[in-house]
Amino acid sequence: MQKTIKVIDGLQKEGVIKEYAIAGGVAAIFYVEPILTYDLDIFFIPPKEEKIITLSPIYKWLKQNGYEAHKEHIIIEGVPVQFIPVYNELVKAAVIDAAKISYKDAKTKVIKAEYLLAIMLQTFRPKDKERIVKLLDEAKLNMTRLLKILKKHDLDEKFKRFKDLYYGK
Amino acid sequence: MANKEIDRLFKAKISFHNELAKMSFEKKIEILVQLQRMANGIQAFSTKQKKRRQKIWEI
């Protein structure tokens, strides 16, 4: 996966994307025990703020470098990668404030656990609910940071209801 | 007595998951690829799931 990370980092170095961070299941794996996922989700901030965000520059750059699209993914060094532009203020803040990590000899960034939980609380699919419980049980969460993020993005009440439901009042 | 034993078992279970969560990211990714192989292997036996088989990471 370090080759995949280096290619994605190259997209940022060459200005095709402004910022990026690992998100989704792989980001969750950074904080909790391994869970099944098949793709590497990358949240990114485009170089220019435009109303309509297109993935064309990313696909073009990757194609020039020998990587092919397969449905909604691009296979980069054996890993299906999905590029997702930041779609709201919470996701944008999560990318800007992402944690710098290393994977073998590759440097990259991963969405912080507190932001990850907030994003999952916002998307709230069944698998998000499952992952929220895992984050609460297994990740070392900074509760001050988490509550600040939840309050800022109007998710504090939803979090309270979730905790009451799963952990009791 | 039985409750104490069950409590101990549940605490050990939680501790086991927490230990797995503390593993290095590199090790976790290795396990993820093993999980992908196992899941695809199971799906290979299910006619309904055959079309849903996913790409295993080649890393």
Side-chain angles (χ1 to χ4, degrees):
Chain A
M1 195 172 77
Q2 71 268 40
K3 283 183 185 170
T4 313
I5 290 169
K6 283 178 181 177
V7 171
I8 296 164
D9 216 49
L11 278 165
Q12 187 184 3
K13 281 181 183 147
E14 296 205 16
V16 184
I17 55 177
K18 189 178 171 187
E19 289 272 359
Y20 82 93
I22 295 172
V26 176
I29 289 172
F30 187 76
Y31 301 103
V32 303
E33 66 179 328
I35 49 170
L36 183 62
T37 185
Y38 288 96
D39 55 4
L40 176 64
D41 289 337
I42 300 293
F43 282 157
F44 73 94
I45 302 174
K48 287 178 193 170
E49 282 200 24
E50 286 168 12
K51 280 184 183 174
I52 298 167
I53 298 163
T54 169
L55 297 175
S56 301
I58 294 173
Y59 278 63
K60 193 180 166 191
W61 188 89
L62 288 167
K63 198 170 181 181
Q64 280 169 355
N65 286 275
Y67 302 106
E68 292 293 328
H70 180 72
K71 293 179 184 171
E72 70 273 28
H73 297 103
I74 302 177
I75 313 295
I76 304 176
E77 300 295 336
V79 177
V81 181
Q82 188 165 26
F83 289 91
I84 305 157
V86 290
Y87 51 86
N88 64 28
E89 286 305 312
L90 171 61
V91 178
K92 190 177 180 182
V95 172
I96 291 167
D97 195 24
K100 287 177 183 167
I101 63 155
S102 292
Y103 178 85
K104 295 184 180 170
D105 65 339
K107 302 248 183 277
T108 187
K109 284 189 286 178
V110 66
I111 300 289
K112 282 180 183 164
E114 298 79 13
Y115 273 106
L116 204 55
L117 194 151
I119 293 165
M120 287 168 181
L121 199 62
Q122 203 173 52
T123 44
F124 220 49
R125 298 160 299 178
K127 69 176 176 184
D128 293 316
K129 293 174 193 173
E130 202 178 308
R131 288 172 185 176
I132 291 170
V133 172
K134 291 198 83 61
L135 280 171
L136 287 169
D137 288 349
E138 297 168 24
K140 281 182 187 168
L141 293 166
N142 178 332
M143 290 310 283
T144 310
R145 184 194 287 149
L146 175 64
L147 296 174
K148 199 176 162 188
I149 293 165
L150 294 174
K151 197 168 173 58
K152 188 175 179 185
H153 298 277
D154 290 327
L155 291 162
D156 45 346
E157 278 303 311
K158 193 173 182 181
F159 181 62
K160 192 180 174 301
R161 286 197 299 275
F162 182 88
K163 273 192 83 176
D164 287 348
L165 182 66
Y166 283 85
Y167 294 88
K169 290 190 180 182
Chain B
M1 186 67 189
N3 281 352
K4 271 189 182 174
E5 187 57 16
I6 289 166
D7 282 349
R8 190 190 65 77
L9 285 171
F10 276 109
K11 276 179 188 165
K13 210 173 170 62
I14 291 166
S15 166
F16 172 71
H17 289 297
N18 287 338
E19 285 305 311
L20 288 176
K22 282 184 207 162
M23 284 188 307
S24 72
F25 191 37
E26 288 88 344
K27 186 72 193 162
K28 289 177 180 180
I29 296 298
E30 278 176 30
I31 294 171
L32 167 64
V33 177
Q34 286 175 28
L35 282 174
Q36 291 173 345
R37 286 198 189 105
M38 286 161 69
N40 264 22
I42 293 164
Q43 284 166 357
F45 288 101
S46 162
T47 48
K48 282 183 186 170
Q49 299 280 339
K50 266 181 186 170
K51 284 181 184 172
R52 294 182 61 197
R53 287 179 75 185
Q54 305 271 357
K55 181 175 170 53
I56 295 168
W57 292 11
E58 292 159 22
I59 54 171

